[in-house]
Amino acid sequence: MPPSLGHAGSSSSSSLVHLLSPLPLSTSYSLPLLSPTLSPSSLLLSPPPISYYLLQHYVQTPYIISVWLLLASLAKILFHLSQRFTTVVPESCMLILLGLVLGGVVLLAHEKQLYQLEPGLFFLFLLPTIVGDAGYFMPSRLFFDNLGAITLYAVVGTLWNAFCTAFCLYGVKLLGVIDEKVDAGLMDFLLFGALISAVDPVAVIAVFEEVHVNDTLFIIVFGESLLNDAVTVVLYKVYMSFVEVGPANVGTAECMKGLVSFLVVSLGGTLVGLVFAVILSFTTRFTKKVRIIEPLFVFLLVYLAYLTAELCSLSAILSMTFCGIGANKYVEANISQKSRTTVKYTMKTLASIAETIIFIFLGISAMDKTKWAWDTGLVACTLVFILLFRAMGVIGQTWVLNRFRLVPLDRIDQVVMSYGGLRGAVAFALVVLLDGEKVKAKDYFVATTIVVVFFTVMFQGLTIKPLVKWLKVPRSTNRKPTINEEIHERAFDHILTAVEDIAGLQGYHHWRDKWEQFDKKYLSKLLLRKSVYQKSELWEAYQKINMRDAISVIDQGGNVLTSRLSLPSMASRSSFPEVTNVTNYLRENGSGVCLDLQVIDNVPGARVEEDSETHHFLTGNLYKPRRRYQSHYSRHFMPAGEQERQEREVFQRNMRSRMENFKTSRHKRHKKDRSQKKVFLLYLRLGSQGVGVEGNYLPKSTALEACDSPSMASPTCGERFLPWKVGAGSLPPCVSVEATKVIPVDLQQAWNQSISSLESISSPLNLNPNPRVTALSPSSVIPNPNLRFMALPPPTLNPNSNLRVVALPPPALNPNPRFSVLSRLAGQRPVSSPPCSFSQSEKEQQKEEEEALSEQQQEEQPLMSVRPPAPPLSSTPGERRRNPCVYLRSLVTVPPAGNTETHSRGPTQL
Amino acid sequence: MGSRASTLLREEEIEEIKKETGFSHSQITRLYSRFSSLDKGENGTLSREDFQRIPELAINPLGDRIINAFFPESEDQVNFRGFMRTLAHFRPIEDNEKNKDHTASEPLNSRTNKLLFAFRLYDLDRDDKISRDELLQVLRMMVGVNISDEQLGSIADRTIQEADQNGDSSISFNEFIKVLEKVDVEQKMSIRFLH
């Protein structure tokens, strides 16, 4: 079998140009610059300089590609303008229709179809983006849970479809139903059967992701569409070689060769994929210093897996799928959160646009009468056979499978699976690749394939949704596991493994457990960063859930614990990292989110039109959107990386300090649990405000800036738009009534805790915290009127008014008094005379600054020390740096509005 | 009820077990041979040591808890009937069982019973509540040494907080059911016993 028959083996390098070079410009005369047929003679005849043309020509191909991409994207926008429409009609249908229209226009203008879905372009660029996305984000547990079923359907099912369709078509041909013009023998039909029988991943993804059937059903159809590639490739190649040598020369030897090559292609493809998965995972172990290109490794190596397999004429789709599945776990653990997001959205964007292009071009390609040769008998028979044999195959295989499956696939599942056997662009690209010289009936096959593809994608795609509804197929709920589910399901796994062991069964759980042991002992050790390897999976899951909650807190306007919605829209992604640390605080303080719920309940968060307002409100309040670090640009440096570390650091430190508190008060814990929670609410409030400030301020802000920052002094968007922020008697979102009510119960301890927690944020790791503890010990803080104010709201006083004052200094506030307060709070450290307790800390910090270059150390270092050293406060704007301690104190003691006391208050607490 | 010291299972005993657990005849005989091979003392009962001799169970983090689940309270022997009763929890729910009216006593492999089995693994003191300490113990077993106490504590807090509805800082069985109501327990707590 000549390997050159690989399905991307055509002149792929030039296919891009092939596809796009002819322009649909009917008046090439008026626009000679863009004419693709620039011959030297025409250059000689036309007066402008040659370079002018060359330049234009040079731009042409990418220009056209970009315009096509833009067109496709715009088309997507258009379809989604009407929400009702898109729920009924799948996008793929609309895209094909659009393609048909565009193709029709071109055809009318040119009398010749200029555009085609070129197999080379399709197999080299469009398909890998979709398969890469599918493989990388494949739910691996689900996939392997159903691997047996998937493989059976992919191999046996596809073979069954291919042979039955081919033989029946041949039989029908002999009976004379198919016209005599169709010059095809058994081999041709076998070839056609092979390419038409495979369920297409592109079509399945496009249709099924809108249908939301339950996970098992989806993974079986989807997995089948990916894994059947090996079968298709082998059958296609084998028959191609048969067609070439002539049917007479085909013997058992050739058939055996076919069988062997199936094993080689499928297992080899899988192996290549896994090898690349290992390489990819291993590479991401060392990308810490090159975070910015971290995502690139993922794309490159996954794509290389595809190309390598293609090069060796192995199954490229299998290779890419398994590379994605295999690497996902380790890569996701190794790369940073930002890279994870980048990978995710880049992949999704690419896959989505590739899918759009494929469907549009399918439509356009259909409008090419030169390639068509219609035979009603062939088309009708093919359609009937495809549907029939798919259904029969599914029913037969399911019957076998159900004898082994824990959860049998019932009738309804079988109907959906039969009906979901969509054919798509792969079949089309393969049929276009056929050699018209050898396969005489190519044109008939092309027409039939187009009809089949359109029928399955459009008709079945359109009707599968109502069908699923009508059959009441269990739908998937687009929800993520809660922490309880994470934990308990892990426990379930252990239980099942143990029970299998006790019952003496070497079942699935037994082997899964064996694999996990192996993974833990060797693979993870090799492929995971040390720091990640040390972490527990459960902890990772926990953090992931925290992150997710963080996003939904922001997006939903609060009630995270009661409603778990799917991941938020992309729009809010910009605020993702800043938000995280806020919610870490919320989380970390126990009932933090409940508190939020209580406060922000006023927001009808679910409603779409208010979402953005809520978002603005929260971003305005939870962190301060001053981003000085954005002003400087660097390709190799992402300041947010520091922030991430800081977030982690803050999170862990607070966790630690909180645990210390728990430990010290362990004997009282049970009694005080409730009150402590409440107490934390207050701290939380301070904290959440503070963290917000810190998240954005830390890098380069100064005390001065903090004071006149818009978020503190002027109302934010949310303040302007949200009713309770405007209303005089309403509750400020930053402090809840409940919190203030309960705080007096445990005041002293509350202060100890909140102060020490704040302290732990600010204090560098090796620093003796004592000086600062004395500086901010509860007793010494009490003199500060503001603090007492917040901590001990007199019962007679209306808490609302006080608290609002605390939380929201009116815009008219003169920044200076606060600045003076800050500097005083910071241990009276003007330029000239820093107190000794702080000079020590500063020295310490300076030292740490110098060492900060080492990445490892930065991780070890406390939150603040990664910033540039804090020079003495000066009025030079360029040198505005602030000591974190100063800054943190400002959090504790945000002065009430216009409180003149702040001026007179001496630094007694120091 | 015991099949004391008898290496052969009597027919009526099989019938009884069949009725109680829903296992098929061949499954019962198959499991009986497994039971006998575990029963080193050959006295018709299994002790904790018999279970602990299973090598895979030794590395199962929840192994001890699961072994305990086989033993009724304050007993350290389990006969074949009890053995089967425990295993019956993990029998998949079959189609014909789903539609059965609930007038009869609930089968051992019902969703509630599966969940109860898992719940009991946590609930060490059998007060029908998973306290923070109990949860921490299980978590500690499951995560190994790489995770610090603080981290584990925060996970436990979060877990309880999420599940806790009546504010007693522990998870009752009803709360446990509630928090897992979206999970396909029927599938995730079932194994395929060979026919």
Side-chain angles (χ1 to χ4, degrees):
Chain A
M1 219 167 326
S4 61
L5 283 171
H7 55 207
S10 77
S11 57
S12 46
S13 56
S14 60
S15 62
L16 228 129
V17 187
H18 267 241
L19 165 68
L20 300 161
S21 55
L23 267 172
L25 295 168
S26 49
T27 51
S28 58
Y29 168 74
S30 62
L31 279 167
L33 307 180
L34 288 171
S35 162
T37 51
L38 272 180
S39 61
S41 60
S42 71
L43 289 179
L44 289 174
L45 289 173
S46 45
I50 292 171
S51 62
Y52 187 55
Y53 280 97
L54 280 177
L55 190 72
Q56 291 303 323
H57 198 77
Y58 184 63
V59 159
Q60 184 184 320
T61 308
Y63 198 91
I64 295 173
I65 292 174
S66 308
V67 170
W68 268 115
L69 289 177
L70 183 69
L71 201 73
S73 315
L74 286 177
K76 268 196 143 151
I77 296 180
L78 272 180
F79 296 151
H80 287 280
L81 279 183
S82 161
Q83 199 131 33
R84 269 216 4 254
F85 191 62
T86 42
T87 50
V88 180
V89 184
E91 207 181 80
S92 45
C93 279
M94 291 310 303
L95 290 171
I96 287 185
L97 285 179
L98 177 78
L100 284 173
V101 171
L102 284 178
V105 171
V106 174
L107 202 64
L108 282 180
H110 263 259
E111 313 220 325
K112 184 174 160 281
Q113 189 53 272
L114 297 169
Y115 298 96
Q116 270 286 335
L117 185 66
E118 281 292 329
L121 177 81
F122 173 74
F123 282 118
L124 278 185
F125 300 105
L126 296 176
L127 188 58
T129 49
I130 292 172
V131 174
D133 173 63
Y136 188 75
F137 293 108
M138 175 84 78
S140 53
R141 175 75 193 264
L142 201 59
F143 179 79
F144 286 109
D145 280 0
N146 294 292
L147 188 61
I150 292 171
T151 323
L152 185 76
Y153 286 120
V155 178
V156 179
T158 311
L159 284 174
W160 158 268
N161 281 350
F163 283 116
C164 287
T165 313
F167 282 114
C168 285
L169 280 176
Y170 184 64
V172 169
K173 167 100 166 76
L174 290 182
L175 286 174
V177 180
I178 296 171
D179 203 276
E180 285 298 316
K181 289 177 298 188
V182 184
D183 182 16
L186 179 59
M187 279 303 149
D188 300 307
F189 279 121
L190 280 173
L191 185 57
F192 179 63
L195 62 88
I196 202 76
S197 62
V199 178
D200 183 68
V202 183
V204 165
I205 295 170
V207 169
F208 269 73
E209 80 185 352
E210 292 182 31
V211 180
H212 304 298
V213 292
N214 60 67
D215 292 345
T216 319
L217 207 49
F218 174 73
I219 202 76
I220 289 178
V221 179
F222 177 49
E224 178 199 341
S225 72
L226 285 173
L227 296 202
N228 65 19
D229 175 67
V231 179
T232 314
V233 169
V234 172
L235 283 182
Y236 189 77
K237 283 184 194 171
V238 169
Y239 292 143
M240 281 292 259
S241 65
F242 285 1
V243 169
E244 269 171 18
V245 298
N249 304 328
V250 177
T252 11
E254 270 75 17
C255 291
M256 284 311 292
K257 255 196 213 163
L259 190 69
V260 171
S261 76
F262 167 70
L263 290 178
V264 170
V265 165
S266 55
L267 296 181
T270 311
L271 196 71
V272 169
L274 292 179
V275 166
F276 272 91
V278 170
I279 298 175
L280 172 58
S281 312
F282 193 67
T283 316
T284 50
R285 255 187 88 164
F286 306 102
T287 49
K288 203 172 195 171
K289 302 246 168 105
V290 286
R291 287 263 190 232
I292 204 94
I293 57 163
E294 217 167 39
L296 191 65
F297 287 108
V298 181
F299 301 123
L300 282 184
L301 281 161
V302 171
Y303 189 44
L304 274 177
Y306 183 90
L307 292 181
T308 310
E310 191 66 57
L311 191 72
C312 312
S313 39
L314 302 170
S315 167
I317 293 185
L318 266 185
S319 165
M320 200 171 198
T321 307
F322 276 97
C323 179
I325 295 178
N328 179 285
K329 180 189 162 188
Y330 308 105
V331 171
E332 293 281 289
N334 278 339
I335 62 179
S336 70
Q337 174 64 42
K338 286 237 172 94
S339 304
R340 248 174 272 167
T341 314
T342 311
V343 168
K344 181 171 171 191
Y345 283 102
T346 314
M347 277 206 179
K348 296 280 174 208
T349 310
L350 288 177
S352 167
I353 201 68
E355 192 185 283
T356 312
I357 295 249
I358 287 172
F359 283 120
I360 286 188
F361 272 86
L362 266 181
I364 292 178
S365 311
M367 299 299 277
D368 185 2
K369 51 191 176 193
T370 57
K371 301 219 170 161
W372 278 68
W374 181 271
D375 181 72
T376 317
L378 179 67
V379 171
C381 289
T382 313
L383 266 182
V384 169
F385 289 145
I386 278 181
L387 292 174
L388 186 69
F389 290 124
R390 169 80 187 168
M392 283 170 66
V394 165
I395 290 169
Q397 290 167 78
T398 312
W399 182 77
V400 175
L401 268 179
N402 276 350
R403 318 189 60 156
F404 300 99
R405 276 182 73 85
L406 183 65
V407 185
L409 296 160
D410 54 19
R411 283 273 158 66
I412 293 172
D413 293 337
Q414 293 174 32
V415 171
V416 176
M417 279 162 63
S418 314
Y419 205 69
L422 307 172
R423 316 302 205 270
V426 174
F428 178 76
L430 286 177
V431 84
V432 169
L433 265 183
L434 287 179
D435 186 352
E437 295 286 304
K438 285 165 191 145
V439 185
K440 297 282 191 301
K442 181 187 170 186
D443 289 353
Y444 292 98
F445 289 156
V446 170
T448 312
T449 310
I450 286 176
V451 171
V452 167
V453 169
F454 281 19
F455 179 81
T456 54
V457 172
M458 295 183 72
F459 180 73
Q460 293 187 326
L462 202 65
T463 48
I464 197 165
K465 226 173 193 172
L467 182 80
V468 161
K469 246 184 220 149
W470 181 64
L471 289 174
K472 297 199 180 66
V473 177
R475 303 290 199 87
S476 77
T477 47
N478 194 9
R479 47 183 284 284
K480 310 280 181 198
T482 62
I483 185 80
N484 267 289
E485 288 166 5
E486 289 270 358
I487 291 173
H488 300 320
E489 282 182 21
R490 259 162 236 262
F492 290 171
D493 282 347
H494 287 307
I495 294 171
L496 291 191
T497 314
V499 171
E500 274 192 358
D501 292 334
I502 289 172
L505 303 164
Q506 308 255 309
Y508 172 69
H509 295 281
H510 175 84
W511 291 111
R512 196 179 43 72
D513 195 57
K514 279 256 150 55
W515 163 256
E516 269 168 22
Q517 305 274 349
F518 172 76
D519 174 67
K520 202 162 187 185
K521 253 187 211 152
Y522 306 103
L523 275 182
S524 292
K525 212 175 237 173
L526 177 73
L527 301 178
L528 289 182
R529 286 188 192 159
K530 273 228 176 64
S531 55
V532 181
Y533 181 65
Q534 301 294 328
K535 281 185 201 155
S536 153
E537 258 177 64
L538 197 59
W539 178 247
E540 292 284 295
Y542 170 68
Q543 279 190 320
K544 236 186 210 161
I545 287 170
N546 271 350
M547 293 265 186
R548 221 163 48 218
D549 284 353
I551 302 163
S552 34
V553 167
I554 302 307
D555 271 26
Q556 306 300 321
N559 44 355
V560 169
L561 286 182
T562 50
S563 74
R564 288 189 177 279
L565 288 133
S566 56
L567 274 176
S569 60
M570 247 179 107
S572 60
R573 279 304 147 136
S574 53
S575 61
F576 180 71
E578 288 86 352
V579 164
T580 318
N581 58 3
V582 175
T583 323
N584 280 346
Y585 270 85
L586 296 180
R587 273 278 145 263
E588 188 255 318
N589 284 287
S591 50
V593 179
C594 298
L595 174 74
D596 248 33
L597 175 111
Q598 187 186 37
V599 177
I600 308 175
D601 244 353
N602 308 356
V603 193
R607 261 184 268 156
V608 181
E609 67 265 26
E610 304 227 352
D611 258 9
S612 64
E613 247 178 57
T614 317
H615 180 75
H616 277 293
F617 155 67
L618 283 163
T619 45
N621 282 276
L622 293 178
Y623 71 90
K624 313 303 174 199
R626 173 175 281 233
R627 299 179 189 175
R628 300 215 81 195
Y629 58 81
Q630 282 198 338
S631 58
H632 67 83
Y633 166 83
S634 163
R635 189 176 292 179
H636 310 287
F637 169 67
M638 273 196 293
E642 284 173 18
Q643 224 176 330
E644 235 169 72
R645 272 196 298 283
Q646 288 170 359
E647 285 153 21
R648 216 176 304 139
E649 186 71 31
V650 170
F651 185 42
Q652 284 170 0
R653 284 180 149 271
N654 281 284
M655 207 76 77
R656 207 169 299 152
S657 74
R658 186 171 170 218
M659 280 309 289
E660 289 312 318
N661 284 327
F662 267 116
K663 274 181 196 154
T664 51
S665 60
R666 179 152 276 182
H667 56 290
K668 305 180 233 167
R669 186 163 48 78
H670 284 294
K671 254 187 264 167
K672 294 204 172 169
D673 226 8
R674 300 290 298 165
S675 62
Q676 234 173 8
K677 244 185 210 164
K678 303 296 179 199
V679 160
F680 270 118
L681 298 189
L682 174 70
Y683 156 51
L684 157 77
R685 277 298 150 207
L686 291 168
S688 67
Q689 213 187 11
V691 172
V693 179
E694 157 204 294
N696 293 280
Y697 266 42
L698 276 185
K700 263 124 212 167
S701 57
T702 73
L704 258 171
E705 281 171 329
C707 295
D708 60 17
S709 87
S711 51
M712 280 214 172
S714 69
T716 59
C717 303
E719 284 163 34
R720 256 181 268 121
F721 287 115
L722 291 159
W724 65 85
K725 299 221 64 172
V726 186
S730 61
L731 193 65
C734 289
V735 185
S736 81
V737 191
E738 200 196 347
T740 47
K741 264 191 246 153
V742 191
I743 280 151
V745 175
D746 208 0
L747 177 72
Q748 193 68 22
Q749 203 187 355
W751 269 111
N752 276 328
Q753 278 163 354
S754 39
I755 296 296
S756 67
S757 306
L758 284 169
E759 205 67 79
S760 72
I761 310 170
S762 68
S763 59
L765 194 68
N766 358 329
L767 212 63
N768 178 10
N770 282 342
R772 238 151 322 149
V773 171
T774 53
L776 271 172
S777 68
S779 57
S780 59
V781 170
I782 295 300
N784 178 342
N786 298 323
L787 284 179
R788 192 167 33 180
F789 197 47
M790 283 175 71
L792 278 172
T796 51
L797 223 64
N798 174 14
N800 287 357
S801 55
N802 298 332
L803 290 166
R804 192 175 62 250
V805 169
V806 173
L808 288 173
L813 183 69
N814 175 13
N816 288 335
R818 219 179 320 159
F819 170 52
S820 63
V821 175
L822 289 174
S823 60
R824 251 174 256 140
L825 281 169
Q828 196 71 300
R829 48 186 293 279
V831 193
S832 49
S833 60
C836 50
S837 65
F838 273 90
S839 64
Q840 186 205 345
S841 75
E842 267 178 15
K843 251 185 247 159
E844 192 79 48
Q845 223 168 354
Q846 295 259 2
K847 209 169 77 190
E848 280 177 13
E849 255 37 294
E850 286 158 18
E851 292 161 354
L853 282 171
S854 140
E855 184 88 7
Q856 186 62 41
Q857 208 174 347
Q858 278 192 3
E859 290 241 311
E860 300 296 320
Q861 269 175 2
L863 162 69
M864 307 294 174
S865 55
V866 277
R867 290 173 312 103
L873 290 167
S874 69
S875 55
T876 327
E879 286 178 8
R880 287 174 179 185
R881 299 277 150 87
R882 197 145 68 92
N883 188 313
C885 320
V886 183
Y887 153 71
L888 273 157
R889 279 181 187 84
S890 75
L891 293 181
V892 182
T893 58
V894 178
N899 192 348
T900 44
E901 252 186 87
T902 47
H903 286 284
S904 56
R905 188 173 4 113
T908 45
Q909 66 266 44
L910 298 168
Chain B
M1 61 158 103
S3 56
R4 305 240 168 277
S6 74
T7 45
L8 277 171
L9 211 52
R10 288 197 311 275
E11 204 56 45
E12 58 264 33
E13 224 172 340
I14 293 181
E15 278 308 312
E16 269 177 43
I17 293 172
K18 214 159 137 186
K19 225 169 120 193
E20 192 184 15
T21 62
F23 280 115
S24 74
H25 194 288
S26 60
Q27 281 172 332
I28 294 172
T29 43
R30 189 186 287 274
L31 286 170
Y32 186 69
S33 69
R34 173 68 180 170
F35 180 84
S36 309
S37 73
L38 288 177
D39 181 17
K40 297 284 187 235
E42 294 187 346
N43 52 3
T45 58
L46 293 182
S47 63
R48 282 191 163 76
E49 290 70 39
D50 288 327
F51 281 105
Q52 280 153 7
R53 239 173 263 132
I54 303 171
E56 291 91 355
L57 220 51
I59 53 168
N60 194 315
L62 297 180
D64 281 341
R65 293 289 177 103
I66 291 155
I67 292 173
N68 275 337
F70 275 83
F71 293 92
E73 264 171 278
S74 68
E75 280 182 43
D76 49 4
Q77 297 284 313
V78 59
N79 59 19
F80 183 59
R81 189 106 181 237
F83 180 75
M84 290 301 280
R85 214 180 291 130
T86 311
L87 286 184
H89 286 98
F90 301 97
R91 213 165 50 81
I93 302 174
E94 276 152 28
D95 280 341
N96 50 11
E97 285 173 315
K98 271 182 199 157
N99 309 323
K100 224 163 60 176
D101 59 328
H102 290 280
T103 47
S105 65
E106 222 177 342
L108 283 168
N109 62 349
S110 73
R111 183 188 171 95
T112 316
N113 276 331
K114 283 175 193 292
L115 282 174
L116 191 61
F117 184 91
F119 185 79
R120 293 251 185 270
L121 287 194
Y122 291 96
D123 183 23
L124 210 56
D125 56 8
R126 304 246 164 163
D127 63 349
D128 288 326
K129 272 182 186 144
I130 303 175
S131 69
R132 186 175 183 275
D133 283 334
E134 284 167 343
L135 183 62
L136 266 180
Q137 280 180 37
V138 174
L139 283 178
R140 176 50 77 197
M141 289 176 183
M142 288 204 294
V143 298
V145 291
N146 284 336
I147 187 163
S148 68
D149 284 338
E150 296 94 83
Q151 290 172 328
L152 216 55
S154 61
I155 293 177
D157 285 343
R158 168 88 207 256
T159 310
I160 289 178
Q161 183 204 332
E162 191 181 88
D164 192 15
Q165 284 171 336
N166 56 7
D168 61 354
S169 299
S170 60
I171 303 174
S172 70
F173 184 53
N174 281 333
E175 287 163 350
F176 189 74
I177 293 178
K178 184 101 178 89
V179 88
L180 290 176
E181 70 181 344
K182 298 239 171 66
V183 178
D184 189 5
V185 178
E186 289 89 344
Q187 185 183 349
K188 286 181 173 157
M189 280 289 277
S190 297
I191 61 172
R192 225 174 54 78
F193 290 95
L194 294 174
H195 288 286

